[in-house]
Amino acid sequence: MKRKRKGSAGSFKKSAEKLVEEILAGERAALAQAITLVESNAEHHFETAQHILTKLLPHSGSSVRIGITGVPGAGKSTFIDSFGTYLCNEGRRVAVLAVDPSSKVTGGSILGDKTRMERLSKNPHAFIRPSPASGTLGGVARKTRETIILCEAAGFDWILVETVGVGQGEFVVREMVDFFMLLVLTGAGDELQTMKKGIMELPDLVVVNKADGNNLERAKAAIHEYQSILHFLKPYTAGWETTAVPASALYEKGIKEIAQSVQDFIEETENSGILQERRTSQQKEWLHEMIKEQLHYMFMKDEHISKLLPRYEQKVLSGDQSVSLSVRELMNLFFSKRKQL
Amino acid sequence: MKRKRKGSAGSFKKSAEKLVEEILAGERAALAQAITLVESNAEHHFETAQHILTKLLPHSGSSVRIGITGVPGAGKSTFIDSFGTYLCNEGRRVAVLAVDPSSKVTGGSILGDKTRMERLSKNPHAFIRPSPASGTLGGVARKTRETIILCEAAGFDWILVETVGVGQGEFVVREMVDFFMLLVLTGAGDELQTMKKGIMELPDLVVVNKADGNNLERAKAAIHEYQSILHFLKPYTAGWETTAVPASALYEKGIKEIAQSVQDFIEETENSGILQERRTSQQKEWLHEMIKEQLHYMFMKDEHISKLLPRYEQKVLSGDQSVSLSVRELMNLFFSKRKQL
């Protein structure tokens, strides 16, 4: 099957070098190609992708990284379309990435993303990349983190990472961005009941979207409600008060103020050192999370383990054997088998 | 060093059998001894402890498991003293356990627990056991879970697991109990700001303690505040509304009502099947958490890894090498070394 590789390792390296150069020159096709390599699960792409990443790492890190989430129907796409277009008009280069662990089911949303963000997708200063189409949440997160690095090296200075609010996506995205935004609708009470546990404690800004037309009064009430909740919660970022603000993505109201709020945040946290601290701890956490995930992956894909694990689960659930003893036996099995390799 | 074992494996097994019998007969000395075995980190105690646990597992599971937490000063000890004594007077047998990952610093709190719960510690129907004196939070949790099994086998039918609110203790205890109680003081606003993220979403009941004397009006206000927060949060247990209620542990007010509330909860969740579901998923989760923890432990204690990991952390933080490549290299190191053993 090795024949499937095109060319030798030598020409691979050469093409990797070429990609690096082109990405640094801001070429979108090269960026897209490198992201595909990073997203690939094929073993023979790993080396090339890592070669590119290592070269680009020194050129990354200087963007504003923003996470955006919200309940379905909160108008995330329209908001990102407005927000991103505004930023581009202000001279920014904007990359939009998505973390959507559910897309393995729907088969990705490439077409969806283009249609969803009509104006932004045509903007020469914007780059929209749908979520990696498969993998565990940890895997999807790794790909998105590495894609952020590639986009930054390509000169994109505002990275918007969208998460659709499935599973633990918000928590994972919170761990890879500087600033986190929660998009909500009017009617806080009902909405909060449907939100996942802990979500309200993640954002640096709550945006009450669709604050327009007949909705204006309800939006005001929602802002009041969210403010009173936020008053009781500990802000995610020490020294930064999370507030609720109105916006109308449709009528482009509040967009400028939100961009300003992000700017203020970056300035303040840069001065206080919190931003650098956050990035350092995110990086360290990422390393340790990936170690844990990889160890678990190696364990779960082990032939013997995958055969015997259900039996142990059964024993534990029926009360025939303690958890400790089961774990002990499974560990012996896993590591002793490896010794014989 | 094997000589340190007293007697042969045979007599060990015999004494284990004896402990099992005595525990099932409700003998406290035997229970205490078995807990010490379960808490021991000595390798040669593991087998005996597991032998006992396996024998007792079929006799466990029939208690009401309650987690209790609260900010320092909320009056947890006085509350447990009152609550436990009330339950004993109602014909219950009450075991009080503690999860306190910080006790390795303070060197345990055996004396503390006896003094803290003066009445209960003298009650013949109660059994108070301080937290295991050392270990990781996961280790402490394992010991507490196994101690619950031992206490249940010894006939204790209400298990109160206290957590001091250090680190992630609350989340760990929530995962081993049926019902979770949060003790708070008056002055919700200030207090909530000092609480850890996500704590308010764990309890099935919020108890505003010290609702007595001059404090009565403030307690009423606090209940109102907590109720309005709870209104916005998703209850931890589907179908059960988490409410805030007043109590005075000192004057023994509200204690009976709280016990009744727990009874109602158990009845409702038993009927709906949620209780059984919760216990099954806790058990399964426990197995998988312990597998992950154990894998990570094996990795971290590996000589090569512990020598090289700081270097990799440095490379990742300085941007010299990607996280993925670092993890790949660490995994190769860990597993290839093992192959050679």
Side-chain angles (χ1 to χ4, degrees), chain A residues 32-49:
Chain A
Q33 211 181 321
I35 296 175
T36 304
L37 280 170
V38 155
E39 287 180 354
S40 166
N41 292 320
E43 186 54 37
H44 63 276
H45 286 153
F46 184 81
E47 206 190 328
T48 322

Side-chain angles (χ1 to χ4, degrees), chain B residues 254-318:
Chain B
I255 302 296
K256 188 182 164 183
E257 290 76 8
I258 291 167
Q260 187 57 50
S261 183
V262 177
Q263 292 273 32
D264 293 345
F265 176 91
I266 296 296
E267 206 169 295
E268 278 187 33
T269 54
E270 240 167 16
N271 289 338
S272 66
I274 284 179
L275 188 63
Q276 191 46 49
E277 238 173 67
R278 171 165 296 172
R279 287 204 173 179
T280 303
S281 89
Q282 284 178 347
Q283 196 77 350
K284 215 166 168 174
E285 189 59 25
W286 180 18
L287 176 68
H288 284 275
E289 276 309 308
M290 262 195 80
I291 287 172
K292 283 182 200 164
E293 193 182 290
Q294 205 55 33
L295 287 169
H296 193 234
Y297 172 76
M298 302 289 278
F299 178 82
M300 294 302 275
K301 81 165 188 181
D302 181 281
E303 259 189 281
H304 286 62
I305 296 297
S306 61
K307 213 178 288 170
L308 286 167
L309 189 58
R311 231 177 286 174
Y312 276 100
E313 282 185 346
Q314 202 40 53
K315 278 199 233 182
V316 160
L317 291 183
S318 62

